Amino acid sequence: VVSTQSTGGHKILGMNTIQLYMKVPGSRTPGHQENNNMSALNLNIGPGDCEWFVVPQEYWGVFHEICERNKINYLTGSWWPLIEDLHKENIPFYRFFQRPEDLVWINAGAIHWVQAKGWCNNIAWNTGPMTHAQYVKAYERYEWNKLKAVKSIVPMNHLSWNLARYAKIYDGQLVAQIRHCLEGTLNTCKTIKEKLQKEGIEIQFHGREKDEWTHYCEICEVEVFNILFVENRKVHCENCARSSSKTLNGFVVLEEYKTEELESWLQNFKLVDGPPEANALEDYNVDISKLPPSLRYL
């Protein structure tokens, strides 16, 4: 599967790097969706079993309401749904055992919680299939995280520009959605630069090194793309920087990409001619009907 995670530009711990879970009987992974609604793979290498509960993504709002009623933070809190509550709220769910050597696929945005029925070890990793559905769900959660002051460890703006620069995309809907993001971030960068120039504040070109980590605001932890407001070697977004000093006194403003570079990448980012199924969600170069019983997917 071609993954958006492979174009992130650097390692994102727990996302495009493998995780290992060493579980004792009864240990639980509370209810959650993957970071930025990414998809996931989980392989049980045994010797015991794991019990899974999974709910389709479209029911996440109901879980959010239940958490709110119980004064639990849906995004950062620890919660374990009760079966009777699922029935009461008319929430459909999958419940199954993951035996040793079973591989579980978690679709984009699926809500899930897991408990170990025995001693077992699990290897898990995230992936972002190159599809319109995955990208939209990831970006929606990115924006929701901002509203809830929760850090998105997948830097969607940085990722989107890397997709435009390096990926070949055959899905017209996906290209249009990514272009919408690129145009928005480019306009934001231009607006910030125009404002700074009118105020007579110098913008220093800093550039960006290969595999350099994405920058996040020191205060609100939002992704900071291209225009960095730096104070004492700490990066801030414009809003937090101006909250500290309206005139940006004590701040150095750095630029990672020239406007002309961004405009060129946007202009050259186009739909690639290819087979219509190249980016289809249901196509992973595998005939699902021929998968072995041990490969379970949701």
Side-chain angles (χ1 to χ4, degrees):
V1 178
V2 177
S3 171
T4 58
Q5 296 299 84
S6 63
T7 57
H10 59 82
K11 288 184 179 179
I12 305 174
L13 299 178
M15 292 299 295
N16 56 9
T17 58
I18 291 178
Q19 305 172 79
L20 172 64
Y21 297 88
M22 303 177 70
K23 301 179 180 181
V24 299
S27 62
R28 288 178 165 181
T29 302
H32 67 287
Q33 293 170 286
E34 296 297 316
N35 290 300
N36 286 90
N37 282 339
M38 289 294 175
S39 303
L41 289 155
N42 186 295
L43 175 65
N44 183 12
I45 57 177
D49 298 340
C50 287
E51 184 178 19
W52 286 72
F53 302 83
V54 187
V55 173
Q57 186 263 349
E58 53 264 33
Y59 291 90
W60 81 267
V62 182
F63 282 95
H64 179 266
E65 291 176 2
I66 295 174
C67 287
E68 290 285 298
R69 290 201 299 265
N70 290 279
K71 302 186 185 311
I72 298 174
N73 189 304
Y74 173 79
L75 294 174
T76 61
S78 180
W79 44 275
W80 184 269
L82 300 176
I83 298 299
E84 51 265 34
D85 288 340
L86 299 180
H87 290 310
K88 182 179 178 181
E89 299 287 344
N90 293 316
I91 299 174
F93 63 94
Y94 298 88
R95 183 179 185 179
F96 60 91
F97 283 97
Q98 181 189 24
R99 313 294 184 187
E101 298 186 9
D102 278 357
L103 178 68
V104 174
W105 166 265
I106 295 297
N107 215 346
I111 307 103
H112 55 288
W113 53 103
V114 188
Q115 62 182 354
K117 305 302 287 186
W119 299 85
C120 53
N121 300 281
N122 292 70
I123 298 172
W125 62 99
N126 288 97
T127 183
M130 202 80 75
T131 67
H132 174 258
Q134 173 66 88
Y135 184 85
V136 168
K137 291 176 182 178
Y139 214 97
E140 285 177 349
R141 180 49 51 88
Y142 177 81
E143 293 296 332
W144 178 254
N145 285 348
K146 280 199 254 182
L147 291 174
K148 295 298 181 179
V150 173
K151 181 178 180 180
S152 290
I153 69 171
V154 180
M156 290 302 297
N157 289 334
H158 181 73
L159 174 63
S160 297
W161 281 98
N162 274 355
L163 288 173
R165 294 173 65 185
Y166 303 120
K168 293 182 178 180
I169 301 178
Y170 307 91
D171 182 342
Q173 283 186 304
L174 178 57
V175 169
Q177 198 68 45
I178 294 174
R179 286 189 66 90
H180 179 72
C181 169
L182 304 185
E183 290 166 356
T185 52
L186 177 57
N187 289 334
T188 298
C189 291
K190 287 181 177 179
T191 300
I192 293 174
K193 289 182 67 174
E194 290 173 3
K195 187 191 306 182
L196 294 171
Q197 290 167 355
K198 288 180 181 178
E199 295 173 328
I201 297 174
E202 180 185 5
I203 304 173
Q204 301 179 24
F205 183 73
H206 178 261
R208 185 177 179 86
E209 296 181 2
K210 183 180 178 181
D211 297 330
E212 183 177 343
W213 288 67
T214 300
H215 297 286
Y216 289 86
C217 178
E218 183 72 20
I219 297 174
C220 70
E221 293 194 309
V222 71
E223 178 190 0
V224 183
F225 177 76
N226 191 31
I227 309 295
L228 314 179
F229 296 82
V230 183
E231 181 187 41
N232 298 325
R233 296 189 176 184
K234 295 180 179 179
V235 174
H236 297 70
C237 65
E238 183 187 18
N239 289 337
C240 290
R242 290 192 182 274
S243 295
S244 175
S245 172
K246 291 185 178 180
T247 59
L248 297 178
N249 184 39
F251 283 88
V252 175
V253 182
L254 303 179
E255 181 181 28
E256 293 189 302
Y257 303 106
K258 293 289 187 182
T259 300
E260 295 75 18
E261 280 186 299
L262 297 176
E263 289 176 334
S264 175
W265 294 333
L266 175 58
Q267 182 178 2
N268 292 327
F269 178 53
K270 299 175 181 177
L271 179 67
V272 177
D273 292 333
E277 71 278 6
N279 283 116
L281 185 61
E282 67 272 15
D283 181 64
Y284 291 103
N285 297 320
V286 173
D287 183 350
I288 292 177
S289 65
K290 296 181 180 179
L291 290 177
S294 62
L295 183 58
R296 305 168 187 265
Y297 63 93
L298 290 168

